[in-house]
Amino acid sequence: MKLCLVAPPDRPGEAGAACFERLAELLASVHEVTLVRVRKRDGEPAPEPDRVLPCRQVRAEPRDEMARTVYAGQDHRLSAAVMEAIEAAFGEEGPDYVEVGDRYAHGLVPLIARRCGSPILARTVFGVRLLGSAELEALHNGALSETEKRLVGELEREQLRLADRLLWPGGDGAALYRRYYGDQLAEAVRIGQPLEVGGKPSPAEPPDPNGPLRILYLGSLRRSDGALDLAEACLRLPFEAWRLTMAGADTATAPAGQSVELTLGGMFREDPRVAISGPPSAREVERLLAGHDLLVVPPSFAVWPEAALVGMRAGLPILATPVGGLPEIVEDGRTGWLSDATGPDSLRRLLVRLNDERAELKRVAAPGRARARFERLVDPDAILAAYERMIASAGPAGASRRRAAPGARPLVSGVVPYYRNAPFVEEAVGSLLAQTHERIEVVVVNDGSFERDDDVLDRLPADPRVRVVTQLNRGETSARNLGARLARGEYVVMLDADNVLEPQFVARALQVIEREPDLAYVSCWLRFIGPDGEPVADPAGYAPLGNRVVRDDTNNWDGDTLALLPRRVFTELGLRFDPSAVIYSDWEFYRVLRDAGRYGVVIPERLARYRVLPSSLQRAHGRQLQRRGWEEARERRLLGRTQWTAET
């Protein structure tokens, strides 16, 4: 089978990408594997491999046009780059299975593309490996209120919702996700994470019953990983004979977003019993493990901490909090100890006990005990067998695989509001008439425009599929509402008179909405063009997500007015574009749909061209005025003053 693994960008002291490298090496013994390496989130290039792997490796980096397109954050953009990397690597056939990590949602665009009928992903099964989502991590680091963290969390939620399988290595990880994210998640499949078994570890120095208790912390200095909890526990120990080594990359996750390393320095005040250093090399890790009595792994949130496995591989006892997979990794009293809770108090009590009972520390540190447990947990044959069972049993993914019932090709009505757009309206109407879906009618609504150049409207009805109607000048939103009422099609396409559809838009949108009849609308990504029709340099386009994904009320990620909608949204449901929404009528409309539990989807392809004119929103209105428009829209919704009923 053809498998695609999407390696997340590494963070200092962590093994996200390394986990996928090991999976690629293992699965390549049986399957054809492609490893996609994602560029780092800080803008650095995708990392080069540290070693030769028995699989194809490709890089996912945004092209120049993507770098200049407006996405919902850098991770959305990187996800689009992953989609392009998959297309380039697999061509028309596509992979049978794609696996991504949950953190940062870099598989989101491929998942949406599959939902929207991407032919290369039509039979692809998607697995999301639980590594520890950025949202849950931010929650435990006290940073979930930050705008970027909330946005990344919403992307992660949608990826989890669309996935076919969740993969977790053991412990409480899958149950934790269901408790936090709800029950509407994919089936969870238990598949371990490989780690090199390695050779015989360096012999550890036996615990000295009369010497100081030697405590080691390995991993990022992060609040959610328990770095500050362990420091506080050590400072409150009732005995003086202890040593603490903390080796890992610093993070800005201390209270108020401060450096953890600097915070630790302030807590210990040059205490000679404490040594704090950056990420150690592999050789330094071996030396540290051999020179300490126990490794403390004290997170408040974790899925499957590799630090514990690294310590057990070296035969070192583990003191851990009862979080995620740690109760399964650490056999309490045999390969280490589990505290009764997270936080400094529980850690302090357990450290006091181990200091008082050095015989127990020596017993658990007996050679071979932790190492044997480690080898069972990372057994490559068991992991490979679990993959074989999962891939063999993986079935369709619900809505993404449903097929529309055969029937007559529906009539689609294009609605084009017009006001002084003489240079562009013929191209807009022509793009509707040129759709590959041939059953098209066009309703052009002249919003009281009576200039000399407006005689272009007299030529449009030469095609019998086009009607032109005129109303008194009441604004573009009112013109859209009138066009929707006059439309005869089962579906309506909203298209501004200066924009252009690519020929396949209607057919693609119909394919999506007839496969999922409950959808409220289907839109697409946009390419920005200038008055001459040539691409605009910066920004080059707009990549919305639909009204289900991002709940932020300060930016529009729901989509542009350009969309295909069932006409019953305007007839049976009685909704309309609010004429009082001077700037953001489309955003308000999609938000009201969302409030009513009706969602749309956005095809992640540039299937339309949005013409940026001097009078366009992003050119004619400053950022302050645009922000004011957002605020007014939100206030109308909060106050319930918006009348989402038919115009009288």
Side-chain angles (χ1 to χ4, degrees):
M1 298 183 72
K2 296 181 180 180
L3 311 185
C4 178
L5 304 179
V6 181
D10 256 342
R11 296 189 299 178
E14 299 184 4
C19 167
F20 278 80
E21 288 177 0
R22 296 191 296 266
L23 286 171
E25 193 168 26
L26 178 61
L27 293 169
S29 64
V30 180
H31 301 285
E32 179 183 328
V33 176
T34 297
L35 180 68
V36 176
R37 294 180 174 275
V38 181
R39 189 190 75 179
K40 292 185 179 180
R41 298 177 74 247
D42 57 12
E44 295 181 8
E48 297 290 349
D50 294 330
R51 58 182 177 175
V52 176
L53 297 174
C55 66
R56 175 173 54 174
Q57 299 186 63
V58 299
R59 295 164 60 139
E61 296 188 72
R63 293 180 294 101
D64 179 62
E65 182 185 28
M66 296 170 66
R68 292 181 286 107
T69 295
V70 181
Y71 289 87
Q74 59 179 329
D75 294 301
H76 186 206
R77 178 178 288 106
L78 290 173
S79 181
V82 168
M83 180 63 198
E84 290 201 349
I86 292 173
E87 291 174 327
F90 289 91
E92 296 182 358
E93 292 187 6
D96 298 296
Y97 174 74
V98 172
E99 183 172 320
V100 300
D102 62 331
R103 187 181 297 142
Y104 304 136
H106 291 153
L108 178 58
V109 170
L111 277 163
I112 295 174
R114 184 189 67 172
R115 181 185 186 187
C116 292
S118 169
I120 74 165
L121 298 176
R123 295 181 299 276
T124 302
V125 173
F126 277 80
V128 173
R129 179 166 285 274
L130 305 185
L131 300 172
S133 70
E135 179 178 0
L136 281 168
E137 183 181 278
L139 177 66
H140 285 261
N141 284 324
L144 193 56
S145 61
E146 297 176 13
T147 300
E148 181 186 0
K149 298 294 194 303
R150 291 200 310 271
L151 178 58
V152 172
E154 288 173 319
L155 302 183
E156 291 173 337
R157 283 173 175 267
E158 185 70 357
Q159 177 176 267
L160 289 169
R161 190 182 73 84
L162 294 176
D164 304 314
R165 299 288 187 273
L166 303 184
L167 282 65
W168 102 103
D172 187 51
L176 167 64
Y177 274 62
R178 293 201 183 279
R179 290 195 300 271
Y180 184 75
Y181 291 106
D183 293 330
Q184 303 303 312
L185 297 178
E187 174 188 351
V189 181
R190 178 172 171 166
I191 301 181
Q193 291 176 197
L195 192 66
E196 287 92 345
V197 174
K200 186 177 180 180
S202 301
E205 301 173 15
D208 182 354
N210 299 314
L213 183 65
R214 299 171 300 172
I215 305 164
L216 176 62
Y217 173 97
L218 286 177
S220 295
L221 304 179
R222 182 176 287 111
R223 192 199 310 192
S224 60
D225 288 343
L228 297 173
D229 288 342
L230 177 58
E232 184 177 344
C234 289
L235 285 172
R236 292 165 52 192
L237 289 173
F239 55 91
E240 296 292 329
W242 56 268
R243 299 288 185 272
L244 172 63
T245 301
M246 305 185 79
D250 187 25
T251 69
T253 58
Q258 300 300 304
S259 159
V260 171
E261 184 174 353
L262 290 177
T263 302
L264 292 172
M267 294 172 68
F268 289 118
R269 298 182 181 276
E270 299 182 355
D271 190 323
R273 297 173 298 180
V274 179
I276 301 174
S277 63
S281 66
R283 180 165 295 185
E284 289 171 332
V285 168
E286 290 183 10
R287 178 183 60 80
L288 289 169
L289 291 169
H292 288 79
D293 298 324
L294 74 162
L295 173 69
V296 180
V297 184
S300 61
F301 163 67
V303 174
W304 193 252
E306 282 202 359
L309 295 171
V310 169
M312 292 172 68
R313 179 173 60 186
L316 194 66
I318 310 299
L319 187 160
T321 48
V323 169
L326 285 169
E328 182 170 335
I329 294 173
V330 178
E331 296 174 290
D332 192 43
R334 287 187 52 81
T335 60
W337 304 270
L338 292 169
S339 61
D340 54 13
T342 60
D345 290 338
S346 295
L347 294 172
R348 182 187 60 81
R349 287 194 297 270
L350 194 46
L351 288 170
V352 169
R353 175 187 143 199
L354 293 178
N355 184 69
D356 292 343
E357 302 175 10
R358 294 296 183 96
E360 180 180 359
L361 184 62
K362 183 177 181 179
R363 175 183 63 80
V364 174
R369 179 175 290 181
R371 171 78 179 198
R373 177 64 176 165
F374 161 78
E375 291 180 357
R376 290 196 301 273
L377 290 170
V378 301
D379 179 13
D381 292 334
I383 294 172
L384 189 58
Y387 266 105
E388 295 302 301
R389 291 192 298 271
M390 188 270 292
I391 294 174
S393 64
S400 64
R401 310 295 178 83
R402 290 203 299 260
R403 294 291 182 266
R409 293 167 65 81
L411 176 65
V412 176
S413 300
V415 173
V416 181
Y418 175 90
Y419 184 78
R420 296 182 180 177
N421 291 120
F424 312 115
V425 67
E426 286 184 289
E427 185 179 12
V429 171
S431 72
L432 279 163
L433 299 177
Q435 291 294 301
T436 57
H437 178 85
E438 297 177 352
R439 292 203 67 207
I440 295 281
E441 70 159 9
V442 180
V443 181
V444 180
V445 181
N446 178 10
D447 184 38
S449 184
F450 299 106
E451 302 295 320
R452 177 177 298 178
D453 291 343
D454 295 334
D455 60 3
V456 65
L457 300 181
D458 297 333
R459 299 195 297 269
L460 295 178
D463 189 306
R465 295 173 291 175
V466 179
R467 285 182 289 159
V468 177
V469 297
T470 300
Q471 68 172 18
L472 294 175
N473 181 247
R474 300 176 65 188
E476 188 176 54
T477 54
S478 178
R480 290 194 192 107
N481 292 331
L482 176 59
R485 292 202 301 272
L486 297 176
R488 295 178 293 210
E490 184 178 349
Y491 298 96
V492 172
V493 172
M494 293 292 171
L495 180 67
D496 289 350
D498 50 8
N499 294 339
V500 184
L501 291 178
E502 303 299 348
Q504 65 272 34
F505 170 77
V506 170
R508 291 290 305 280
L510 281 174
Q511 180 188 31
V512 175
I513 206 164
E514 292 194 329
R515 192 163 52 227
E516 297 188 55
D518 293 336
L519 286 174
Y521 68 94
V522 180
S523 187
C524 66
W525 289 358
L526 305 178
R527 175 174 283 110
F528 289 166
I529 59 175
D532 58 359
E534 293 300 314
V536 172
D538 193 9
Y542 169 50
L545 285 158
N547 66 340
R548 180 168 190 150
V549 184
V550 178
R551 308 188 79 83
D552 175 25
D553 275 358
T554 60
N555 288 284
N556 177 15
W557 299 113
D558 298 357
D560 182 67
T561 307
L562 189 154
L564 180 141
L565 310 93
R567 188 164 61 92
R568 60 182 174 81
V569 168
F570 303 98
T571 56
E572 297 174 18
L573 301 182
L575 300 184
R576 64 166 186 164
F577 293 93
D578 188 347
S580 63
V582 178
I583 298 179
Y584 293 111
S585 62
D586 51 357
W587 175 79
E588 287 197 61
F589 184 74
Y590 296 145
R591 288 282 137 148
V592 169
L593 285 171
R594 188 194 71 183
D595 292 344
R598 299 180 182 276
Y599 304 110
V601 68
V602 177
I603 301 171
E605 298 177 37
R606 296 164 179 81
L607 298 178
R609 285 167 273 164
Y610 179 96
R611 200 179 304 269
V612 180
L613 302 172
S615 59
S616 297
L617 171 63
Q618 58 179 291
R619 293 287 190 265
H621 303 290
R623 188 61 182 168
Q624 183 176 359
L625 181 58
Q626 294 181 41
R627 180 64 59 193
R628 179 64 180 269
W630 284 117
E631 297 297 332
E632 289 183 359
R634 181 167 64 248
E635 289 169 6
R636 275 195 297 272
R637 291 173 54 241
L638 291 175
L639 293 173
R641 293 208 303 248
T642 305
Q643 299 176 1
W644 296 99
T645 58
E647 287 183 292
T648 57

